[in-house]
Amino acid sequence: MCNRYVSPAAAEIERTWHLKSGGQPWAEAEVYPRALGPFVRQAADGQGAEMVLGQWGLIPWFAKTARLAYSTNNARFEELAQKASYKQPWARGQRCIIPAWSFEEPCWETGRNVWWRFARADGQPWGLAGLWSRWTDPQSGELIDSYTMLTLNADAHPLMSRMHKPDPKLPADQQDKRSVVVLEPEAWAPWLQGTVAVASSLVGLAPVEVFEARPLHSGPSLF
């Protein structure tokens, strides 16, 4: 599960996703769970897309406080339609794209935690699949936007299956290793505008050739 990534600055997001400039300011930064980050969603008037700043960690409608006791920065795609925190945004089509220059995952192949960084081989930012929600603080009435990053089982993926600490109680093909869901440019508009069925058809694992992956602090790119 992804717990940190680097988001592009607002100008790069506007250029890549063809958004109107002059929106909410944002400087390139590393984003952590419960921190503020930018995401792209369908504009409220239905005319194109917009960049929004929100909390990374979706706040469900039934939450009593914005600071949850459990993690919602990642959401398993396989559970979206059933899990209370995500089923309403998923059914309503509240999908978003999370821009990222890179994201990081831990690799335990050496027997210890070695962080790896994943960028695109073509030098462009990632467009990662997500869901967004708007929560109303019951005490102050404040409206807070938040989002979650989707993940998909990656046990069979030659790269992403190498990440995360293995569970010694489970066989290799049942580890439930996870990967972010990469959306290529041609999928951006259908992801934001399409039906649940259309969006579901866009979810899959990115081919190895798309990645430039390497240990964070040393070592050459392996893909």
Side-chain angles (χ1 to χ4, degrees):
M1 298 174 71
C2 180
N3 284 308
R4 60 194 193 199
Y5 69 95
V6 176
S7 177
E12 181 64 30
I13 296 172
E14 291 165 357
R15 182 194 68 79
T16 302
W17 277 271
H18 308 292
L19 308 179
K20 293 180 180 179
S21 61
Q24 300 180 71
W26 172 259
E28 180 178 316
E30 194 165 38
V31 184
Y32 294 87
R34 296 193 177 94
L36 198 66
F39 61 92
V40 177
R41 69 182 178 194
Q42 184 75 356
D45 61 6
Q47 302 300 309
E50 63 181 359
M51 188 190 89
V52 180
L53 297 180
Q55 174 182 290
W56 185 24
L58 188 142
I59 309 170
W61 64 270
F62 53 81
K64 304 299 183 184
T65 175
R67 292 196 65 83
L68 305 175
Y70 50 92
S71 173
T72 57
N73 57 294
N74 292 154
R76 285 176 164 82
F77 169 72
E78 302 90 336
E79 300 176 351
L80 294 182
Q82 294 82 34
K83 201 154 190 177
S85 296
Y86 310 121
K87 64 181 182 180
Q88 287 194 6
W90 176 244
R92 291 172 179 168
Q94 292 173 205
R95 299 180 293 271
C96 65
I97 302 170
I98 304 164
W101 279 127
S102 63
F103 61 91
E104 296 170 15
E105 302 283 8
C107 179
W108 285 80
E109 290 178 335
T110 63
R112 59 187 180 87
N113 185 347
V114 177
W115 283 97
W116 280 35
R117 176 166 289 168
F118 298 80
R120 286 188 64 100
D122 60 10
Q124 296 300 305
W126 296 108
L128 306 178
L131 288 180
W132 68 273
S133 185
R134 175 168 287 173
W135 177 76
T136 303
D137 189 314
Q139 301 299 321
S140 67
E142 180 186 7
L143 299 177
I144 301 178
D145 287 323
S146 61
Y147 63 101
T148 186
M149 188 180 293
L150 302 193
T151 68
L152 188 65
N153 179 274
D155 284 350
H157 194 272
L159 174 59
M160 301 310 294
S161 63
R162 298 171 58 185
M163 299 301 115
H164 300 282
K165 191 173 185 178
D167 186 339
K169 299 177 183 178
L170 296 175
D173 62 346
Q174 297 179 23
Q175 288 289 315
D176 196 25
K177 298 295 187 74
R178 310 299 296 179
S179 172
V180 297
V181 175
V182 175
L183 298 172
E184 295 298 332
E186 61 271 18
W188 293 345
W191 176 255
L192 295 181
Q193 302 168 7
T195 64
V196 168
V198 168
S200 297
S201 72
L202 301 172
V203 175
L205 297 173
V208 169
E209 295 76 22
V210 174
F211 294 88
E212 180 184 280
R214 68 181 74 208
L216 184 57
H217 298 296
S218 65
S221 174
L222 301 184
F223 289 88

